[in-house]
Amino acid sequence: MALKDLIVDSGAVIEAAIEEIISDYVKYEVDPHAIVFTPEGNSLGNSAKIIVYVAAVLGWAYVVDDPPSISTKPVDLEDAVGIKGGSLRPILKQLKDDHILARTDGHYSVRTSNLAAAGQIVRGDRRVQASPPKSVRAKRDNRSIAVDDAAKDEVKPKKKTGVPIKASLEGLLYEGFFGELRTLTRVADRLQELAVNAKMTSLSGPVADLVRGKKLERKKVKENGRQVWAYRTPRA
């Protein structure tokens, strides 16, 4: 193996990580530029919802050629995610302290180096407890406390489906499904036809493994007005 075979397309890795975080929870409206939460997105806990939104803002760079400038200061995030400032700001601080988010000139953004950890919070594999605001009397050394429940944010872990995704994808390879370019949306649809309930967020990782293992290759195609990755068996 040559060293150049170890080179990773950082842009592609970031795009795939963002897609895995947000794909079930938001939709992009290109004209006018807007990020809209799906019903699943609206049901997320506060920390996960904030992460999904700022990750989606970062994702504009992969959706349109001229990405919009979107303010992510707390006052703007209040409206965007529907969380009042008294609950929002302690969560932003905690996510920043945990190095999930970064703050620049008052704007918050997701750290690309920590997208994996951000995804764990959204999936419920990792839990965030926001610090209570200053007005809350904290319990220290046996002192009594009164905790503002609105300042707490608990992310309920999702039930794992146990679906054998890797084996199912190998089955699609065997049947020749990847003889032509297939997007993740089409892969998920085919698995549904086979009674395999696989979400988009659970497909991107195993499919990427098949690309790295030379069992699949990928190229960009247009789907629903945006550029996405599509996959097929390697051409000779």
Side-chain angles (χ1 to χ4, degrees):
M1 176 185 291
L3 288 178
K4 66 180 182 180
D5 293 331
L6 302 178
I7 298 174
V8 175
D9 182 348
S10 60
V13 170
I14 291 172
E15 181 184 6
I18 294 172
E19 181 179 1
E20 185 169 356
I21 290 172
I22 73 173
S23 60
D24 286 345
Y25 305 116
V26 298
K27 300 293 184 184
Y28 287 102
E29 290 185 355
V30 177
D31 187 20
H33 293 124
I35 296 168
V36 180
F37 282 98
T38 65
E40 292 84 358
N42 280 320
S43 68
L44 289 170
N46 287 348
S47 293
K49 196 171 185 181
I50 292 168
I51 289 170
V52 165
Y53 181 78
V54 294
V57 170
L58 181 62
W60 271 119
Y62 303 95
V63 176
V64 294
D65 293 331
D66 186 17
S69 177
I70 296 178
S71 176
T72 53
K73 291 184 176 180
V75 66
D76 302 298
L77 290 174
E78 284 185 48
D79 292 333
V81 300
I83 303 172
K84 292 187 179 298
S87 297
L88 177 79
R89 292 173 188 273
I91 299 170
L92 289 173
K93 181 181 183 303
Q94 188 63 52
L95 291 171
K96 177 178 173 293
D97 291 345
D98 288 348
H99 306 289
I100 302 298
L101 301 184
R103 186 177 66 184
T104 305
D105 296 330
H107 295 269
Y108 285 85
S109 61
V110 65
R111 290 183 179 272
T112 56
S113 59
N114 249 352
L115 284 169
Q120 289 175 345
I121 294 172
V122 173
R123 292 192 302 272
D125 298 333
R126 177 173 173 170
R127 193 169 177 172
V128 172
Q129 180 71 44
S131 303
K134 292 180 180 179
S135 61
V136 175
R137 291 176 294 143
K139 183 178 181 180
R140 296 292 184 271
D141 299 326
N142 298 321
R143 289 178 295 175
S144 63
I145 78 168
V147 178
D148 179 4
D149 290 336
K152 292 183 176 180
D153 175 50
E154 295 183 359
V155 179
K156 296 180 180 179
K158 297 180 180 180
K159 294 181 180 179
K160 298 190 179 296
T161 62
V163 177
I165 300 298
K166 184 175 181 180
S168 299
L169 292 173
E170 294 280 0
L172 295 185
L173 276 169
Y174 180 78
E175 73 175 26
F177 174 77
F178 288 104
E180 58 185 90
L181 287 167
R182 306 288 192 180
T183 64
L184 287 182
T185 300
R186 184 63 190 95
V187 175
D189 289 344
R190 177 56 182 156
L191 290 176
Q192 290 282 353
E193 293 168 0
L194 298 175
V196 177
N197 185 22
K199 292 186 176 182
M200 297 273 288
T201 51
S202 62
L203 285 175
S204 53
V207 170
D209 288 340
L210 292 175
V211 173
R212 287 188 284 268
K214 310 297 185 184
K215 293 183 178 181
L216 290 176
E217 63 182 15
R218 67 179 187 174
K219 67 176 294 186
K220 282 288 184 73
V221 299
K222 183 168 286 189
E223 181 182 69
N224 296 328
R226 67 187 185 102
Q227 294 290 319
V228 298
W229 289 111
Y231 305 83
R232 68 184 177 194
T233 50
R235 295 293 186 260

